[in-house]
Amino acid sequence: MQYALGTLNGREIRYDFEKMLIYLEAKGRLMFGKKFKIYREDRDILYKLCLYFIKDRARCSQLGIDVDKGILLSGPVGCGKTSLMKLLKYMVPHRRPYAVIPSRNIVFAFNHLGYKVIGDYGDSQSYCLDDLGVEPGGVHFGKECNVLGEILLSRYELFIEHRLMTHATTNLNAQELEDRYGNRVRSRMRELFNLMAFDKGSRDKRD
């Protein structure tokens, strides 16, 4: 099956939000199984995310979204954050892809391999750090380390120097993130990310 996301006008694509939703649901079912669906209550957040990914600068600007920064997608457990971040990149295959990496896996790797792991995330690839803030503490040879905090500082430097993109998902609010990573990292996160949030009452879609 082929899905049109809009119409071609000369060399410009005019995207159609309803067509994008049809594509995302079809692609989601291929990736996550037949039970996957796009929920009507998520249309507002999906609209913003779609505008961001297609880089509609005019509309994003109206909504206070900076297309040159990453996305920090927050919301309750099970609302679909990770699935959407895995899915949305397929809508723009011509753009640099990013790898979605569970934060807890990064810490497990650090506990096993040490500081090399933090260095590995200072490379030229784009990442989405999944489930930020609920990962376990990092300990290597008895030394404790706030692994994701250090990686966020590295990613901030890469963003400032090379405009390299980082995304993240989290269940935590701004104050909880600051408590977890400290004020310095939190202020860097404000520069790194656009904050987009699911409604607090979003249902758990995993059942």
Side-chain angles (χ1 to χ4, degrees):
M1 289 286 288
Q2 287 191 328
Y3 293 88
L5 300 181
T7 55
L8 200 59
N9 181 24
R11 295 179 66 181
E12 183 183 79
I13 299 175
R14 288 196 173 163
Y15 287 95
D16 181 315
F17 180 54
E18 298 301 328
K19 288 179 179 176
M20 286 191 273
L21 293 183
I22 291 167
Y23 168 77
L24 289 171
E25 187 161 281
K27 183 70 175 175
R29 285 178 176 168
L30 282 174
M31 290 175 66
F32 309 118
K34 291 182 180 178
K35 287 188 175 180
F36 179 87
K37 67 177 285 191
I38 297 293
Y39 289 83
R40 189 161 193 83
E41 69 232 42
D42 296 336
R43 284 174 68 95
D44 285 351
I45 186 85
L46 273 165
Y47 180 65
K48 291 176 185 175
L49 286 164
C50 285
L51 289 178
Y52 170 84
F53 275 91
I54 64 173
K55 288 192 181 290
D56 186 328
R57 288 181 181 273
R59 287 186 199 170
C60 281
S61 179
Q62 289 170 356
L63 295 167
I65 300 165
D66 184 342
V67 297
D68 296 315
K69 289 163 56 168
I71 293 287
L72 175 60
L73 186 58
S74 74
V77 173
C79 68
K81 302 180 296 294
T82 304
S83 298
L84 284 181
M85 290 307 289
K86 286 180 176 177
L87 192 54
L88 281 157
K89 61 181 178 178
Y90 289 102
M91 212 167 57
V92 283
H94 54 291
R95 303 207 193 285
R96 179 198 285 263
Y98 53 84
V100 179
I101 313 287
S103 295
R104 64 199 301 272
N105 290 10
I106 297 173
V107 175
F108 293 152
F110 171 86
N111 292 349
H112 180 58
L113 300 168
Y115 287 85
K116 172 189 178 298
V117 171
I118 293 174
D120 288 345
Y121 287 91
D123 64 7
S124 59
Q125 184 161 346
S126 292
Y127 295 100
C128 176
L129 306 171
D130 190 34
D131 257 348
L132 192 64
V134 294
E135 71 278 357
V139 183
H140 185 66
F141 284 114
K143 277 192 171 182
E144 293 185 4
C145 178
N146 193 330
V147 178
L148 269 295
E150 292 298 324
I151 287 172
L152 285 166
L153 290 174
S154 295
R155 299 301 299 179
Y156 171 77
E157 296 299 328
L158 287 168
F159 173 69
I160 294 300
E161 292 172 21
H162 305 292
R163 311 314 289 176
L164 201 61
M165 206 70 83
T166 305
H167 306 294
T169 71
T170 187
N171 304 330
L172 306 186
N173 62 34
Q175 186 57 54
E176 290 168 329
L177 286 168
E178 186 167 321
D179 293 344
R180 183 77 171 81
Y181 298 116
N183 181 259
R184 181 170 171 236
V185 173
R186 174 69 187 124
S187 70
R188 300 291 189 274
M189 289 174 74
R190 287 191 190 97
E191 293 183 61
L192 258 180
F193 300 123
N194 295 283
L195 177 60
M196 294 195 193
F198 276 83
D199 189 85
K200 288 178 183 174
S202 290
R203 73 177 92 174
D204 189 331
K205 305 177 179 87
R206 296 171 302 178
D207 49 16

